[in-house]
Amino acid sequence: MRVKKSEVVYEGRLVRVRRDVVELGGRERTREVVEHPGSVVVMPLLGDRVVAVKQYRHAIGDVLLELPAGTLEPGESPEECALRELEEETGYTAGALEELGSFYASPGYTSEILFAFLASDLRPSRRGREPWIEVVEIPLRSLLEMVKVGEIRDSKTISTIMLYLVKARLLRF
């Protein structure tokens, strides 16, 4: 694969869209790429419960149940972002943060990589949380059932739960 031409067609606050002409398989093809700075997703554990959030997602016009997440700010490490997003979205701080792994959101069209973390030893924050986000605590078993029956459809949430299950050796092959 060889890039023959590349141009930025949109530049916004969060993303930039690039149109590339590439040579692939002996033919020229056009590819549109959404450049993204990267994100984090956090699985906060409070005893045997997972702290999740419900929030409106404009792109799909619906409210999703998902794990807290957010975009990396310039110069911010994934760990710093995870702690910031946890506090902003749930009103909790974490005494312990463990990286579970990373994955690409949708590599067919975006460069976005997500860093997944497990947050534990949770304590209420002194700062308030974002008021438009509803915080819910769900037993892990119930959360898994919600994935199974399709009540949770957010890919970053499903992927992070899978990473947690593998790391915690609750899912074996």
Side-chain angles (χ1 to χ4, degrees):
M1 202 273 313
R2 181 173 74 97
V3 178
K4 297 182 82 174
K5 179 182 173 187
S6 185
E7 67 176 318
V8 174
V9 295
Y10 173 79
E11 191 152 3
R13 181 187 62 78
L14 181 63
V15 298
R16 188 164 94 160
V17 179
R18 191 179 79 227
R19 183 177 301 124
D20 294 344
V21 176
V22 298
E23 188 177 307
L24 189 62
R27 295 183 54 203
E28 278 192 8
R29 302 178 190 277
T30 301
R31 297 291 185 257
E32 292 159 345
V33 178
V34 176
E35 296 177 356
H36 190 283
S39 300
V40 300
V41 55
V42 184
M43 184 167 170
L45 282 184
L46 192 58
D48 67 340
R49 298 178 318 276
V50 176
V51 180
V53 295
K54 287 183 180 179
Q55 62 180 314
Y56 176 75
R57 293 300 192 176
H58 184 70
I60 62 164
D62 203 357
V63 173
L64 287 182
L65 177 65
E66 56 190 67
L67 293 175
T71 302
L72 290 161
E73 298 288 342
E76 187 177 45
S77 73
E79 293 81 6
E80 292 167 329
C81 184
L83 292 171
R84 176 179 55 78
E85 289 293 340
L86 174 67
E87 187 172 16
E88 287 176 0
E89 293 192 4
T90 69
Y92 284 105
T93 60
L97 192 67
E98 176 188 345
E99 188 169 351
L100 295 172
S102 62
F103 51 91
Y104 291 101
S106 188
Y109 72 91
T110 181
S111 64
E112 182 182 9
I113 188 168
L114 289 104
F115 300 92
F117 292 91
L118 175 68
S120 56
D121 189 21
L122 301 183
R123 296 179 297 279
S125 168
R126 291 190 178 155
R127 290 181 35 199
R129 62 174 178 76
E130 294 169 338
W132 61 88
I133 296 175
E134 181 185 348
V135 177
V136 294
E137 296 176 12
I138 304 168
L140 179 58
R141 225 178 239 300
S142 299
L143 192 70
L144 296 176
E145 184 63 26
M146 294 170 86
V147 170
K148 180 181 171 184
V149 300
E151 287 180 46
I152 294 179
R153 299 182 302 158
D154 173 57
S155 65
K156 71 184 174 305
T157 297
I158 295 167
S159 297
T160 300
I161 291 168
M162 176 67 80
L163 286 170
Y164 168 74
L165 293 173
V166 170
K167 284 260 184 161
R169 298 178 188 247
L170 298 173
L171 179 64
R172 297 177 192 219
F173 299 67

